[in-house]
Amino acid sequence: MTWERIITPDIVDKGYYIYTIEQRDVDFTGRATHVDLTGYILRAAGDDADKNGFGVSDLNLDNCSWVLSRMCVEYFRRPVVGEQITVVTWVNEINRMMTTRNMTVTDGEGEAVAKAVTQWAVIDMDKRIALDIRQHVNYDDSLMEEPCPVEKPVRVPRLKTEPAFVKRVSYSDIDFNRHMNAMKYLEWMIDALPINCLLDREMRRMDMNFLHEARYGQQLRMAFEDGERSLFEISGEDGMPLCMAALTWSDNPAGQS
Amino acid sequence: MTWERIITPDIVDKGYYIYTIEQRDVDFTGRATHVDLTGYILRAAGDDADKNGFGVSDLNLDNCSWVLSRMCVEYFRRPVVGEQITVVTWVNEINRMMTTRNMTVTDGEGEAVAKAVTQWAVIDMDKRIALDIRQHVNYDDSLMEEPCPVEKPVRVPRLKTEPAFVKRVSYSDIDFNRHMNAMKYLEWMIDALPINCLLDREMRRMDMNFLHEARYGQQLRMAFEDGERSLFEISGEDGMPLCMAALTWSDNPAGQS
């Protein structure tokens, strides 16, 4: 363990969170799923916002909440059960409608596991409309002049293919915001892929755009175009797009995790 | 915190495991889901078997593995985020085909959260057939003369109703045994219920029988009969029953968690 090298004063300024990969986080190959690894990235966002006084529970007091608007993650390695990961996170942008929070994930050797850029909005809990973030969050002590660690989330184009999958938003899909959780979209997309797509290649980057909320009981449709990038469009029954995503793959060379 | 009272020498003999309820374990009401709470109960089974030298990774060396055969849980209270739970577990029965492991779950005040009885078989990893447990597990130091904390799992009768739900076993459903995880069955059952069933009443007991494995890609069907007990039958396309369950409810009086 070389924590001395990882936890520099610079990182302490940024906020860092250490998590351990559990049995429930890994797939049948023994490595953390992209859903669970990304879950820890989002958990660090929540933990850091809580620490700085503008977490979900703080915003709830003001009848508003954080919602994820766009995110991207570049994955370098999927850790195994028992491995500790360190998520370093910092906020570097804010404007009226959106704020940008970044994460780097390293393993016990300080090697890169993942890097992420997330963009968030604040919504009114009842009216479900976006609010001026600066009126609800005091970022004065948190904003850092440090660039994003990877290219920001791209805008994913709408698909021309017909929806091939349907799903009803269920109890286990919804989170504290009472809408479908971001990671449940990703889980549905990955589950839609033939298993060979997951064994013969490795996801290197994921871009997601969240356009509208999916609420409990809603019927969703998912269209899918495969290729070097797998493109997904999840929409409501009226065709309104709710979530767009692009998953980028590389071949999975022997011995590569 | 009154850990002094909880961790008696008797409990240390039995093996106890302390877990903390995380954000991802709770539903939109802020309380641990039955799936995640039961997940901790099963995790304690795994942790205790590992500690005693007959965990899944030990059995895998012998090309066999544990599979859950029957389980029941009585639920008293669903804890909230940040609460610590203590799972005490002991094995009190073994025969050629089945062993019985018990659990009691208490909160930080020592109050009952849940009690469970689980029954396990050992299977050959390749042939997927049951083996004589006593030839693969050394229980000499682990067997305790201490009764089950609640009535053992009941045999759930087959249903007369037609299947109303279908589902393909996906990547996110399968676990280290490469079959559908027990808690994924429970999640599917609970998701099939109207949300009012979950808000107006509280699950007090769950009995599950696992008859055959569901493998990746398999098409499953679920039949359902509601009442004081909700009965579920999950079967393959050929009608062979794979999992039967009975969920028993009570009204959810105001203020009761």
Side-chain angles (χ1 to χ4, degrees):
Chain A
M1 290 295 182
T2 55
W3 294 118
E4 299 76 4
R5 187 157 61 85
I6 302 169
I7 301 167
T8 61
D10 171 55
I11 287 177
V12 173
D13 282 349
K14 281 179 181 162
Y16 67 92
Y17 301 88
I18 298 172
Y19 308 110
T20 302
I21 303 298
E22 300 176 12
Q23 186 68 48
R24 60 174 161 171
D25 300 323
V26 306
D27 67 14
F28 66 93
T29 72
R31 299 175 299 148
T33 67
H34 293 95
V35 165
D36 289 290
L37 186 52
T38 312
Y40 284 114
I41 289 171
L42 294 177
R43 180 166 161 187
D47 287 349
D48 197 59
D50 284 341
K51 196 183 84 175
N52 286 290
F54 46 77
V56 165
S57 53
D58 302 297
L59 266 62
N60 281 177
L61 297 175
D62 205 12
N63 202 40
C64 52
S65 190
W66 286 114
V67 293
L68 193 54
S69 182
R70 287 189 181 192
M71 82 178 298
C72 67
V73 183
E74 294 198 3
Y75 302 98
F76 300 93
R77 187 173 75 82
R78 294 198 280 138
V80 300
V81 173
E83 273 198 69
Q84 280 195 330
I85 56 172
T86 302
V87 185
V88 175
T89 181
W90 69 99
V91 176
N92 66 348
E93 293 175 352
I94 182 171
N95 62 33
R96 195 170 63 85
M97 300 302 282
M98 195 90 83
T99 176
T100 303
R101 175 182 281 282
N102 307 282
M103 295 85 165
T104 60
V105 186
T106 51
D107 62 20
E109 305 293 321
E111 296 295 322
V113 167
K115 296 179 181 178
V117 182
T118 58
Q119 298 184 304
W120 302 79
V122 168
I123 60 160
D124 181 287
M125 290 276 277
D126 298 320
K127 297 178 192 153
R128 315 303 285 192
I129 52 168
L131 301 172
D132 186 334
I133 298 176
R134 298 164 302 185
Q135 293 184 2
H136 296 273
V137 176
N138 183 354
Y139 262 15
D140 293 349
D141 296 331
S142 298
L143 216 53
M144 294 187 70
E145 281 191 40
E146 171 89 9
C148 298
V150 290
E151 187 198 351
K152 285 184 190 177
V154 300
R155 188 178 161 278
V156 180
R158 293 210 55 186
L159 270 61
K160 295 190 179 68
T161 45
E162 286 298 306
F165 302 90
V166 293
K167 174 189 168 57
R168 192 176 65 89
V169 180
S170 301
Y171 169 75
S172 68
D173 295 319
I174 56 177
D175 63 16
F176 56 87
N177 272 333
R178 298 185 178 228
H179 64 200
M180 182 145 156
N181 182 270
M183 289 304 95
K184 288 290 180 175
Y185 287 110
L186 182 61
E187 183 178 281
W188 189 23
M189 291 168 189
I190 292 174
D191 277 349
L193 297 169
I195 195 107
N196 283 350
C197 292
L198 302 169
L199 292 175
D200 299 344
R201 56 189 191 177
E202 188 66 25
M203 197 194 303
R204 290 302 171 202
R205 181 174 165 111
M206 172 267 279
D207 289 88
M208 292 184 93
N209 308 160
F210 302 96
L211 306 173
H212 296 280
E213 300 178 280
R215 308 298 292 271
Y216 176 79
Q218 203 172 340
Q219 281 286 352
L220 303 186
R221 315 187 304 180
M222 181 164 66
F224 166 53
E225 284 179 20
D226 205 10
E228 196 181 331
R229 285 204 313 174
S230 304
L231 299 177
F232 296 86
E233 175 176 322
I234 293 174
S235 54
E237 281 186 294
D238 56 1
M240 178 188 279
L242 307 176
C243 174
M244 312 289 303
L247 310 182
T248 311
W249 308 86
S250 68
D251 290 341
N252 192 19
Q256 163 110 27
S257 60
Chain B
M1 291 296 182
T2 55
W3 295 117
E4 298 79 5
R5 185 158 62 84
I6 301 170
I7 302 167
T8 61
D10 170 56
I11 286 178
V12 173
D13 282 348
K14 282 180 182 159
Y16 66 93
Y17 300 88
I18 299 172
Y19 307 110
T20 302
I21 303 298
E22 301 176 11
Q23 185 68 48
R24 58 174 162 172
D25 299 323
V26 305
D27 67 13
F28 66 93
T29 71
R31 297 175 300 147
T33 67
H34 294 94
V35 166
D36 289 291
L37 186 52
T38 312
Y40 284 114
I41 289 171
L42 294 177
R43 180 167 161 186
D47 286 349
D48 197 56
D50 285 341
K51 196 183 84 176
N52 287 289
F54 46 77
V56 165
S57 53
D58 301 296
L59 267 63
N60 281 177
L61 297 175
D62 206 11
N63 202 40
C64 54
S65 191
W66 287 113
V67 293
L68 193 54
S69 183
R70 287 188 181 192
M71 82 177 299
C72 68
V73 183
E74 294 198 3
Y75 302 98
F76 300 93
R77 188 173 74 81
R78 294 198 280 138
V80 300
V81 173
E83 274 198 70
Q84 280 193 331
I85 56 172
T86 301
V87 184
V88 176
T89 180
W90 70 100
V91 176
N92 65 348
E93 291 175 353
I94 182 170
N95 62 34
R96 193 169 65 85
M97 300 301 282
M98 194 91 83
T99 178
T100 302
R101 175 182 281 283
N102 307 280
M103 295 86 165
T104 60
V105 186
T106 51
D107 62 20
E109 305 292 321
E111 296 294 323
V113 167
K115 296 179 181 178
V117 182
T118 59
Q119 297 183 307
W120 303 78
V122 169
I123 61 160
D124 180 286
M125 290 276 278
D126 298 319
K127 297 179 190 152
R128 316 302 286 190
I129 53 168
L131 302 172
D132 186 334
I133 298 176
R134 298 164 303 184
Q135 293 183 3
H136 296 273
V137 175
N138 182 355
Y139 263 14
D140 293 350
D141 297 332
S142 298
L143 215 54
M144 294 189 71
E145 281 190 40
E146 170 89 9
C148 298
V150 291
E151 187 199 351
K152 284 184 190 176
V154 300
R155 188 177 160 279
V156 180
R158 294 209 54 185
L159 270 62
K160 296 190 178 67
T161 46
E162 288 297 308
F165 302 89
V166 293
K167 173 188 170 57
R168 191 176 66 88
V169 180
S170 302
Y171 169 76
S172 68
D173 295 319
I174 56 176
D175 62 17
F176 55 88
N177 272 333
R178 297 185 178 228
H179 64 201
M180 182 146 156
N181 183 270
M183 290 303 94
K184 287 291 178 173
Y185 287 108
L186 182 60
E187 183 177 281
W188 189 23
M189 292 168 188
I190 292 174
D191 277 349
L193 297 168
I195 195 105
N196 282 351
C197 293
L198 302 169
L199 293 175
D200 298 343
R201 56 189 192 176
E202 189 68 23
M203 197 194 303
R204 289 302 172 202
R205 180 174 165 112
M206 173 267 279
D207 289 88
M208 291 183 93
N209 307 161
F210 303 96
L211 308 174
H212 295 281
E213 300 178 281
R215 309 295 295 271
Y216 176 79
Q218 204 173 339
Q219 281 285 351
L220 304 185
R221 315 186 303 180
M222 181 165 66
F224 166 54
E225 285 178 19
D226 206 11
E228 196 181 331
R229 284 205 311 174
S230 303
L231 300 175
F232 297 87
E233 176 177 322
I234 293 174
S235 54
E237 280 186 294
D238 56 1
M240 176 187 280
L242 308 176
C243 175
M244 313 289 304
L247 310 182
T248 310
W249 308 87
S250 69
D251 290 341
N252 193 19
Q256 164 111 28
S257 61

